[in-house]
């Protein structure tokens, strides 16, 4: 029926209208029905915003909630050093379809204005769909950007921004995915690259390795019982920074594409380069990396020696100078990308194993936007855990690995025991204490 400004508004049954009224009176107290939830394995639907053209976002796979009918009056943002991750709920656009979807989007933090413009569009759409009594949509925010951009968010969005602790949200988000969402968590093997784990209730203890610009490693002993036990500054930001210097690539996705086309053996020194074969006594294949970038110096020296032998460094003519420079080895940016991806991933994998061994943790979950579902990264991390633990520990990955914090912030607005397996309980007034240890 026509609403304000002549717009068409959806007809809701009385039960749905009651839930809308309750949401308006007590924003944030709506419970989410996750019964029958599943990941939508199709191109993400365009979000219901009035924006035209490129919104600057990368849209990831959505989660369908076919049995959820109540209004959700908040969105969640996790703003990190490189990316801002957004999670929000929308009902199905066709009134005949029940339920709705959780949407997952990410923006480059350097373009936070595009992200906030998108959220502004969500606010407008929320008011249009739910009428004049809908009030203002709440904003949940976590990550360092929740503080850095706090004033900008309040000014542009015109609402109070509720900030939540970053590690708190990471654990809540991961617990939700493990316990509630089918075909979300998986393990990797070369012959079975995406072996899905069924949702489970008995999940503790475990180690979370969250790989963003840097890396944090968090021991989780139970609900609201966690401790940051270590980390490393060599993370996604390291790979991004070095490859931007070495290859000229502008985006992280471009770097991953180059790595897929590369051959690290062109720049890395392998076990086979030293032994001529596998080193079976200690379980090393000939293709194992003995030294990252280990061939570069050797090959450059060989090129210089060849130039000297041919007089390339002692002749003044332009032609002979060109001959000398052409004798220098040329390293492909694709090979450099693959080598550095392996170097960073192997380092993270080994540190994760050492932390899990020290704290007696068998299950290791890898999260963060560094992974992005990239097969080579997943393969390297999985291989490192399996190799060093001799198969005693398992590496787990997630299809929404970059959204742990934003999902955790989103769930902070939910009431007690709303999930099928009690994946989230309402926090007490006193927040949990988070212990930080100095990195060795």
């Amino acid at each position: 029926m026509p609403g304000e400004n002549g717009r068409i508004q959806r007809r809701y049954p009385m039960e749905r209208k009651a839930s809308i009224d309750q949401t308006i009176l007590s924003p944030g107290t709506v419970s989410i029905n996750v019964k029958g939830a599943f990941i939508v394995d199709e191109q993400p639907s365009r979000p219901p915003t009035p924006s035209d053209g490129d919104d600057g976002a990368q849209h990831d796979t959505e989660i369908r909630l076919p049995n959820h009918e109540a209004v959700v009056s908040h969105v969640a943002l996790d703003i990190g050093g490189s990316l801002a991750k957004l999670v929000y709920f929308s009902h199905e656009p066709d009134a005949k379809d029940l339920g709705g979807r959780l949407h997952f989007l990410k923006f480059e933090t350097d373009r936070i204005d595009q992200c906030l413009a998108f959220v502004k569009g969500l606010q407008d759409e929320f008011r249009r769909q739910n009428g004049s009594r809908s009030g203002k949509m709440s904003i949940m925010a976590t990550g360092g950007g929740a503080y850095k951009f706090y004033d900008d968010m309040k000014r542009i969005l015109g609402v109070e921004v509720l900030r939540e602790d970053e590690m708190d949200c990471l654990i809540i988000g991961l617990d939700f995915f493990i316990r509630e969402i089918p075909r979300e968590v998986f393990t990797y093997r070369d012959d079975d690259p995406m072996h899905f784990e069924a949702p489970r209730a008995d999940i503790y203890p475990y180690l979370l390795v969250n790989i963003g610009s840097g890396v944090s490693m968090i021991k989780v002993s139970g609900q609201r019982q966690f401790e940051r036990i270590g980390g490393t500054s060599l993370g996604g930001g390291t790979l991004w920074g070095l490859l931007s210097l070495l290859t000229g690539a502008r985006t992280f996705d471009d770097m991953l594409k180059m790595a897929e086309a590369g051959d690290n053996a062109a720049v890395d020194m392998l076990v086979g380069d030293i032994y001529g074969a596998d080193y079976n006594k200690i379980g090393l294949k000939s293709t194992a990396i003995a030294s990252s970038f280990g061939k570069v110096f050797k090959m450059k020296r060989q090129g210089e020696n060849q130039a000297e032998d041919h007089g390339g460094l002692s002749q003044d003519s332009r032609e002979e100078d060109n001959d000398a420079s052409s004798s220098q080895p040329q390293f492909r940016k694709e090979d450099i990308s693959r080598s550095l991806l392996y170097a960073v991933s192997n380092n993270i994998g080994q540190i994760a194993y050492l932390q899990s061994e020290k704290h007696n943790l068998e299950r290791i979950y890898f999260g963060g936007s560094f992974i992005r579902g990239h097969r080579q990264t997943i393969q390297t991390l999985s291989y490192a855990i399996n190799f060093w633990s001799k198969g005693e520990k398992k590496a787990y990955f997630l299809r929404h690995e970059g959204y742990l914090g934003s999902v955790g912030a989103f769930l902070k607005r939910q009431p007690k025991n709303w999930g099928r397996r009690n994946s989230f309980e309402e926090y007490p007034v006193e927040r949990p204490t988070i212990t930080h240890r100095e990195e060795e």
Side-chain angles (χ1 to χ4, degrees):
M1 59 180 293
E4 294 181 358
N5 301 322
R7 291 193 176 102
I8 302 298
Q9 293 183 315
R10 297 176 66 178
R11 289 181 178 272
Y12 300 118
M14 291 302 296
E15 295 84 355
R16 174 76 180 278
K17 186 177 186 303
S19 72
I20 294 175
D21 292 341
Q22 180 60 31
T23 300
I24 294 167
L25 293 172
S26 305
T29 62
V30 62
S31 62
I32 297 217
N33 187 341
V34 294
K35 182 180 180 181
F38 63 92
I39 296 175
V40 181
D41 289 318
E42 61 186 36
Q43 191 69 19
S45 61
R46 296 303 294 173
T49 64
S51 173
D52 293 323
D54 183 15
D55 53 29
Q58 180 175 332
H59 300 251
D60 290 308
T61 54
E62 299 155 354
I63 294 179
R64 180 86 160 85
L65 301 174
N67 293 290
H68 181 78
E69 284 297 297
V71 172
V72 178
S73 60
H74 65 279
V75 303
L77 276 168
D78 176 11
I79 309 175
S82 302
L83 295 172
K85 288 78 66 176
L86 171 67
V87 172
Y88 71 95
F89 175 85
S90 73
H91 284 96
E92 292 300 309
D94 190 336
K96 294 182 295 183
D97 294 333
L98 299 178
R101 303 183 182 213
L102 283 177
H103 299 264
F104 300 86
L105 299 82
K106 52 179 171 274
F107 302 78
E108 292 185 16
T109 303
D110 289 343
R111 300 177 180 179
I112 192 67
D113 56 325
Q114 290 182 319
C115 177
L116 297 183
F118 187 94
V119 175
K120 184 70 172 174
L122 291 178
Q123 288 180 311
D124 295 340
E125 183 66 16
F126 176 77
R127 285 192 293 269
R128 186 188 72 79
Q129 285 193 356
N130 299 302
S132 60
R133 295 185 59 223
S134 61
K136 295 182 178 180
M137 177 179 282
S138 302
I139 308 298
M140 309 294 292
T142 189
Y147 297 87
K148 181 177 180 179
F149 300 108
Y150 178 71
D151 292 336
D152 291 333
M153 286 189 284
K154 287 185 63 177
R155 174 177 53 81
I156 294 172
L157 302 176
V159 296
E160 185 65 31
V161 178
L162 305 177
R163 293 176 288 190
E164 299 291 346
D165 179 78
E166 182 175 4
M167 291 192 185
D168 219 359
C169 291
L170 286 173
I171 303 307
I172 293 172
L174 178 54
D175 282 2
F176 169 75
F177 280 128
I178 298 173
R179 287 176 157 169
E180 301 291 349
I181 306 301
R183 299 178 66 81
E184 173 68 43
V185 179
F186 64 94
T187 57
Y188 176 92
R189 290 201 320 259
D190 288 337
D191 61 346
D192 189 7
M194 190 173 275
H195 179 79
F196 290 109
E197 299 286 317
R200 53 185 295 173
D202 180 21
I203 65 175
Y204 305 116
Y206 65 78
L207 176 67
L208 167 60
V209 181
N210 194 60
I211 313 172
S213 299
V215 183
S216 285
M217 300 186 184
I218 307 168
K219 175 185 176 180
V220 183
S221 304
Q223 266 187 332
R224 304 188 295 276
Q225 299 174 21
F226 55 90
E227 175 186 11
R228 187 181 187 274
I229 56 177
T232 172
S233 62
L234 305 181
T238 307
L239 182 69
W240 195 336
L242 288 176
L243 287 185
S244 65
L245 290 173
L246 296 172
T247 68
R250 293 189 175 184
T251 70
F252 196 58
D253 288 327
D254 287 343
M255 297 171 190
L256 294 180
K257 289 178 182 177
M258 285 194 298
E260 289 178 1
D263 179 10
N264 68 297
V267 292
D268 290 344
M269 185 177 292
L270 308 181
V271 169
D273 296 322
I274 301 173
Y275 290 92
D278 296 345
Y279 191 175
N280 293 321
K281 187 174 182 179
I282 59 175
L284 291 176
K285 296 180 179 179
S286 61
T287 54
I289 299 172
S291 175
S292 298
F293 286 83
K295 285 182 181 173
V296 174
F297 178 74
K298 181 179 179 181
M299 292 175 69
K300 286 181 68 69
R301 285 294 301 271
Q302 287 176 345
E304 291 169 357
N305 291 337
Q306 289 175 5
E308 291 177 357
D309 291 343
H310 290 85
L313 300 181
S314 61
Q315 301 295 324
D316 294 331
S317 71
R318 182 183 300 272
E319 180 179 349
E320 290 177 340
D321 282 345
N322 288 337
D323 289 341
S325 62
S326 65
S327 67
Q328 294 292 314
Q330 300 297 314
F331 299 103
R332 297 171 63 238
K333 59 185 179 181
E334 292 84 359
D335 301 338
I336 292 172
S337 299
R338 188 154 186 157
S339 173
L340 193 56
L341 175 68
Y342 281 163
V344 172
S345 300
N346 275 320
N347 181 64
I348 294 171
Q350 186 167 16
I351 295 174
Y353 160 73
L354 292 172
Q355 291 288 4
S356 70
E357 186 72 6
K358 178 180 178 181
H359 295 275
N360 195 28
L361 302 169
E362 293 183 3
R363 292 193 293 270
I364 305 170
Y365 291 88
F366 288 92
S369 297
F370 170 78
I371 301 174
R372 300 199 186 190
H374 189 244
R375 179 164 179 160
Q376 291 173 339
T377 307
I378 292 171
Q379 181 186 42
T380 304
L381 293 169
S382 185
Y383 175 82
I385 298 302
N386 184 68
F387 176 83
W388 292 110
S389 72
K390 296 181 172 60
E392 293 182 0
K393 301 179 187 295
K394 269 193 174 183
Y396 295 89
F397 304 92
L398 299 97
R399 296 173 70 180
H400 294 92
E401 72 279 277
Y403 294 93
L404 304 185
S406 49
V407 168
F410 186 87
L411 299 181
K412 279 292 196 92
R413 293 285 284 179
Q414 307 307 323
K416 186 176 181 180
N417 295 340
W418 63 270
R420 289 173 295 173
R421 300 172 182 83
N422 298 339
S423 59
F424 176 74
E425 294 181 1
E426 188 171 314
Y427 271 48
V429 175
E430 182 179 356
R431 300 288 179 174
T433 301
I434 304 173
T435 305
H436 296 269
R437 292 183 178 177
E438 293 295 326
E439 297 172 17
E440 296 179 358

